[in-house]
Amino acid sequence: MTQVLKPMAIGLFIASIFSASYALADELDFTAADFNGATVSLTQAINAAQQATSAIAIDAEFDQHMGSNRYEVTLVNAKGQEIERFINPHNAEVTSPMFTDQDIDADDVAVRDAIRQGSSQPLVEIISQLESQYSAKVYKVELEQERQHISYEADLLSPEGQHIRINR
């Protein structure tokens, strides 16, 4: 019986390694050169989206869609609706997606309200602190409410091309 279980266990172990590697490799859909080639920073993209919508950003990232680089910023407006905007990484032009999810999410509203009340930092302040502390550029940051606490997750890219994930 152990002769049968041993090969099966080895096969499952190998499969788990390949699936984990695939998930990590699939996580980024752009190269460091793509990201570093952007003339507009993530902070500038967030500011452009907030100015264009009069809403508060709760999530922002650099990504690639259909071969083009862009920033994607998720914001919550005064009505509590989640809206999304795309920002050109070369000229800060703000565009809307074809379809907009305008559902009201209580957690997103709580994050927006925490920023308004000063009990949570805005994304641009978080980015500034992280980039200074880690000498790396943030390419993704997200605020979220977990158990009545506002936390964030950020992904950074160092000058050497190393990826850093921060959860606070």
Side-chain angles (χ1 to χ4, degrees), residues 110-141:
V111 169
R112 181 208 58 201
D113 292 346
I115 293 169
R116 281 184 174 168
Q117 297 164 1
S119 59
S120 179
Q121 293 178 296
L123 289 182
V124 294
E125 288 181 17
I126 293 168
I127 291 168
S128 177
Q129 288 176 352
L130 290 173
E131 289 182 344
S132 175
Q133 182 178 354
Y134 291 94
S135 299
K137 289 174 61 177
V138 175
Y139 62 86
K140 181 177 181 179
V141 62

Side-chain angles (χ1 to χ4, degrees), residues 46-64:
I46 291 167
N47 287 334
Q50 289 182 146
Q51 184 176 8
T53 61
S54 299
I56 295 176
I58 61 168
D59 185 343
E61 68 178 297
F62 181 88
D63 71 355
Q64 193 173 70

Side-chain angles (χ1 to χ4, degrees), residues 24-145:
L24 290 173
D26 192 44
E27 189 171 337
L28 286 182
D29 54 357
F30 60 88
T31 66
D34 290 332
F35 180 60
N36 290 325
T39 55
V40 173
S41 70
L42 183 59
T43 297
Q44 291 169 320
I46 291 167
N47 287 334
Q50 289 182 146
Q51 184 176 8
T53 61
S54 299
I56 295 176
I58 61 168
D59 185 343
E61 68 178 297
F62 181 88
D63 71 355
Q64 193 173 70
H65 180 72
M66 298 179 68
S68 295
N69 298 323
R70 68 181 184 186
Y71 289 106
E72 183 177 322
V73 180
T74 304
L75 309 101
V76 179
N77 66 15
K79 296 178 184 178
Q81 297 167 315
E82 184 178 288
I83 56 177
E84 206 171 56
R85 293 295 180 264
F86 303 131
I87 296 80
N88 184 309
H90 301 293
N91 64 16
E93 178 185 2
V94 179
T95 58
S96 301
M98 301 255 316
F99 302 99
T100 303
D101 176 14
Q102 294 195 352
D103 291 338
I104 297 175
D105 182 304
D107 289 340
D108 291 344
V109 171
V111 169
R112 181 208 58 201
D113 292 346
I115 293 169
R116 281 184 174 168
Q117 297 164 1
S119 59
S120 179
Q121 293 178 296
L123 289 182
V124 294
E125 288 181 17
I126 293 168
I127 291 168
S128 177
Q129 288 176 352
L130 290 173
E131 289 182 344
S132 175
Q133 182 178 354
Y134 291 94
S135 299
K137 289 174 61 177
V138 175
Y139 62 86
K140 181 177 181 179
V141 62
E142 176 184 11
L143 284 167
E144 55 192 11
Q145 179 174 334

